[in-house]
Amino acid sequence: MQITKRNVELRVDDSLMRVYVAAPKAAGVYPGIVFYSDIYQLGSPIIRLANYLAGYGYVVAAPEIFHRIEPVGLVIEPDDLGRMRGNDDARRTKIADYDADCLAVMEFLKTESAVSPGKIGTLGFCIGGHLAFRAAFQNEIKASVCCYPTGIPSGKLGQGIADTIHRVSEIKGEMLLVFGTLDPHIPEHDRQILIKALENANVPHKVLLYEAEHTFMRDDGYRYDSAAATSAWSGIVTFLERTFAN
């Protein structure tokens, strides 16, 4: 499916938040996806992932998660200095600000004529996986895909300690968790805490495990695993199609 691409500007708490929007070119209505990047914001690898998903029939809206700190359009380089910068930006961002951004993107999607009423989901990578998990607390979110989400058991997300792991019972939609078993940032112990929390809260969920490292779906790094990424995308697309069909 061919897609269109554009940037929109949203105001959130007096901060200008640029949102990249990829959507099917063909006229019609499609589910909307709040799409979260990793700490490097909207560089080429993340844009390719957003475009890929849009091509399956989704209106994908990807915000710049550090818009209160970084200049509009800033892409953080995925090197040692960039990693330090991105992690520092994450620590300096209030958890309530992340939540406010989520609501703003959701409201944008609900006003888009190409978005099916009542069909909104979320997908994110790394810190974005954590943000997608938090987005699932909103009643309108029907499906959430969290790819190697970091910091949920520990509460590491922004300023202070995030209460994410303690709010799992608020989730009304379905969840898909994607992990690499070789990922040191989300060890087996943390994966089990997440899975157990979903089970205890009776949240419908599925887990995809791959013998892969952290950020294995990002195609510009040494940890990229094309076979695992392709399989993960197959599982993600199947999950979203099934969930939004209900």
Side-chain angles (χ1 to χ4, degrees):
M1 181 177 292
Q2 291 184 316
I3 64 172
T4 62
K5 311 166 188 178
R6 75 188 201 272
N7 290 306
V8 301
E9 297 175 349
L10 304 180
R11 274 285 168 192
V12 189
D13 301 329
D14 292 327
S15 179
L16 186 63
M17 178 172 69
R18 188 185 73 156
V19 181
Y20 175 78
V21 181
K25 184 177 181 180
V29 290
Y30 307 91
I33 301 291
V34 183
F35 188 97
Y36 287 111
S37 71
D38 52 26
I39 60 170
Y40 305 113
Q41 297 211 110
L42 303 180
S44 296
I46 293 296
I47 294 298
R48 284 192 289 272
L49 293 170
N51 292 344
Y52 185 88
L53 180 59
Y56 277 92
Y58 297 92
V59 178
V60 179
E64 291 180 335
I65 61 175
F66 300 137
H67 63 91
R68 291 175 175 82
I69 298 171
E70 299 287 4
V72 172
L74 190 282
V75 173
I76 300 174
E77 290 300 318
D79 53 22
D80 289 343
L81 286 177
R83 183 168 59 254
M84 293 173 62
R85 181 173 183 167
N87 284 327
D88 186 58
D89 286 350
R91 284 190 293 267
R92 294 166 58 197
T93 301
K94 296 177 182 178
I95 295 165
D97 288 344
Y98 289 127
D99 295 340
D101 294 347
C102 174
L103 292 176
V105 178
M106 288 176 59
E107 287 304 311
F108 162 76
L109 287 171
K110 286 190 284 186
T111 65
E112 285 287 282
S113 60
V115 175
S116 303
K119 292 190 175 183
I120 296 180
T122 183
L123 186 153
F125 302 88
C126 193
I127 186 176
H130 190 154
L131 294 174
F133 199 102
R134 286 186 71 83
F137 300 152
Q138 305 302 321
N139 290 337
E140 297 98 324
I141 297 293
K142 289 179 61 68
S144 301
V145 180
C146 306
C147 299
Y148 31 88
T150 54
I152 297 178
S154 67
K156 183 179 179 182
L157 177 64
Q159 286 186 23
I161 304 297
D163 58 359
T164 310
I165 195 64
H166 304 294
R167 296 176 59 187
V168 176
S169 61
E170 298 178 30
I171 297 173
K172 301 297 189 296
E174 297 191 38
M175 305 285 292
L176 175 64
L177 304 180
V178 180
F179 296 118
T181 59
L182 306 179
D183 186 347
H185 301 287
I186 315 167
E188 172 68 15
H189 177 261
D190 284 8
R191 295 198 298 269
Q192 290 305 317
I193 289 176
L194 283 177
I195 294 167
K196 196 66 176 177
L198 292 170
E199 291 175 348
N200 290 342
N202 294 314
V203 175
H205 65 280
K206 183 175 181 180
V207 178
L208 299 179
L209 291 173
Y210 298 95
E211 189 177 349
E213 299 183 54
H214 193 58
T215 69
F216 71 86
M217 297 178 72
R218 187 183 171 103
D219 66 7
D220 67 337
Y222 69 91
R223 292 176 290 192
Y224 176 57
D225 187 319
S226 60
T230 299
S231 179
W233 268 121
S234 177
I236 289 168
V237 170
T238 299
F239 168 78
L240 292 175
E241 288 179 346
R242 178 186 58 78
T243 306
F244 284 119
N246 295 334

